[in-house]
Amino acid sequence: TAATMNGLNVNLSGWLLDLLVGLFEGTLKTEFEKAIKDAIADQVQPLLADLLGVLDLNLPFAIPAFLPGGAPVTISLRAKPTDVAFVPAQSMTVLMDATAHAPPGSPYDTLGTVGYGNCLASPFVGNSFDFGLLSPLDIGLFDDVVNALLAAVHEAGVLEMDLGPDVIAPEDLASFGITEMNAHVSGLLPPAATACTTTPSMEGVPGALAIEIGDLGIDATFQMNGMPVAIEMYASLIGAASFSVETDADGITQVGVKILGFDQIETDLVRVESDDPTTKELISSLIGSTMVPLLLDQLDLGNALSFPLPALDLSNPEAGIPEGTALEIIPEAIARTANANTLIKASVRQATPALP
């Protein structure tokens, strides 16, 4: 806390008093500044503690299902303030550490999330983040936070999917004699977003970033020319995604994530069970060019997967803020900025109805 007093002038009648005031005016100014500083600190520190308590966040996100009929999952973003900076009569900036988690739904242990090493042009410094023209609320997300959210999506089991003949379009494989396909897709590792890779799908799309998916396991059974076949394979993919602002059918403004395409697909066929010895050679030729792209097509990646931002719960009865008091965050624009950050510019309004 700093207090500065400018233009202090003390006038008392009498030459002796004027002499004394002149000698001690500087001291009086310093003592007044100290008294004001102490008084402000006594008031501001409890208010700031209350504010930081409100911003100690645990926000749930409802992630919609990738496939029709699938169940949505809820992940939680945990954020805690680490630094606060004020620009008088303009803005307050809060620097926060964040992570994400979800109820376990994946059969694999989540060992952690990936973080940037040395591929960025310069180190990330949170205090130097440029928000540009200020909105009522500006949210800057470093890609490490995006990857923590992706790891939570993986932890929740979103990448565990069963695809049956009703989902996999049979006409796309019928020309190869393949029918009655059932596949289980299993993500062994969480997807990762990065600003250090460029792909053809990113060209001409402002704010796109690369997405990498490693070790996507696929177990499939099907009929091929009337004979049963079972295969086990793994795929790794590199593509691109972009963020956008979307409006759902109810007029609710949401954050959208759209997969722009996959530019590199690597596959490894580890098992083929069939009575026909020529099946393995044919399946090997079909996997990269037809089967994996077909499975990806079922995810309807051409449309944005959107979700609303959670309301900011401001409840703090001890500070006089009633239970259920919350602010809705309404995204208005999303852009990518330098040094692997995503900037969400938003407005806010009081949540209606209030939180239960």
Side-chain angles (χ1 to χ4, degrees):
T1 304
T4 303
M5 182 173 289
N6 296 317
L8 175 65
N9 292 293
V10 179
N11 254 324
L12 296 174
S13 56
W15 66 270
L16 181 57
L17 289 177
D18 287 345
L19 176 63
L20 292 174
V21 168
L23 290 173
F24 293 101
E25 193 169 32
T27 301
L28 289 172
K29 178 176 180 291
T30 300
E31 290 301 317
F32 278 142
E33 288 178 348
K34 182 177 183 301
I36 293 172
K37 175 181 175 180
D38 291 343
I40 291 175
D42 289 342
Q43 297 295 321
V44 169
Q45 288 178 0
L47 293 175
L48 187 57
D50 289 339
L51 172 64
L52 296 182
V54 168
L55 294 178
D56 193 348
L57 305 177
N58 190 1
L59 302 176
F61 282 81
I63 304 298
F66 281 4
L67 295 173
V73 299
T74 298
I75 64 175
S76 295
L77 177 67
R78 185 81 168 84
K80 185 175 184 179
T82 58
D83 197 10
V84 180
F86 294 91
V87 177
Q90 182 178 346
S91 66
M92 178 183 73
T93 300
V94 182
L95 184 65
M96 311 180 80
D97 285 340
T99 188
H101 61 88
S106 169
Y108 312 105
D109 292 334
T110 300
L111 303 179
T113 63
V114 297
Y116 278 106
N118 299 315
C119 72
L120 297 178
S122 60
F124 169 71
V125 181
N127 288 331
S128 66
F129 185 85
D130 182 10
F131 285 101
L133 186 64
L134 294 179
S135 301
L137 178 64
D138 295 297
I139 305 170
L141 295 176
F142 189 43
D143 280 354
D144 285 359
V145 178
V146 174
N147 283 324
L149 292 169
L150 289 174
V153 168
H154 173 265
E155 183 182 9
V158 173
L159 297 184
E160 302 298 312
M161 295 173 283
D162 289 303
L163 308 178
D166 56 330
V167 175
I168 302 175
E171 61 272 12
D172 293 320
L173 295 172
S175 59
F176 302 100
I178 297 176
T179 58
E180 301 178 31
M181 175 172 279
N182 292 274
H184 177 70
V185 179
S186 181
L188 280 71
L189 296 172
T194 175
C196 299
T197 300
T198 57
T199 73
S201 294
M202 299 171 64
E203 295 179 4
V205 182
L209 73 165
I211 296 291
E212 300 178 358
I213 301 176
D215 281 347
L216 195 66
I218 302 172
D219 284 294
T221 60
F222 51 89
Q223 296 286 321
M224 189 168 188
N225 297 322
M227 298 182 61
V229 178
I231 65 171
E232 178 186 357
M233 59 171 290
Y234 296 88
S236 297
L237 309 97
I238 298 178
S242 64
F243 293 99
S244 60
V245 174
E246 305 290 333
T247 303
D248 69 4
D250 297 323
I252 299 174
T253 306
Q254 303 182 336
V255 172
V257 181
K258 181 178 181 181
I259 301 296
L260 301 173
F262 289 101
D263 304 285
Q264 182 177 332
I265 300 175
E266 301 289 340
T267 59
D268 182 15
L269 181 63
V270 298
R271 177 176 60 89
V272 176
E273 296 178 3
S274 173
D275 294 335
D276 187 344
T278 64
T279 299
K280 183 172 183 178
E281 182 178 350
L282 179 57
I283 294 298
S284 297
S285 66
L286 289 176
I287 282 177
S289 61
T290 304
M291 285 190 172
V292 173
L294 175 63
L295 292 175
L296 294 174
D297 285 345
Q298 309 315 307
L299 303 182
D300 196 19
L301 300 177
N303 293 320
L305 183 71
S306 62
F307 50 88
L309 293 177
L312 186 61
D313 187 359
L314 302 179
S315 304
N316 191 337
E318 293 181 0
I321 304 175
E323 288 287 352
T325 303
L327 290 179
E328 291 182 0
I329 303 174
I330 307 163
E332 296 181 343
I334 302 178
R336 293 283 293 172
T337 68
N339 271 353
N341 288 283
T342 298
L343 175 60
I344 303 175
K345 305 188 81 62
S347 59
V348 294
R349 66 186 177 198
Q350 185 171 351
T352 305
L355 294 178

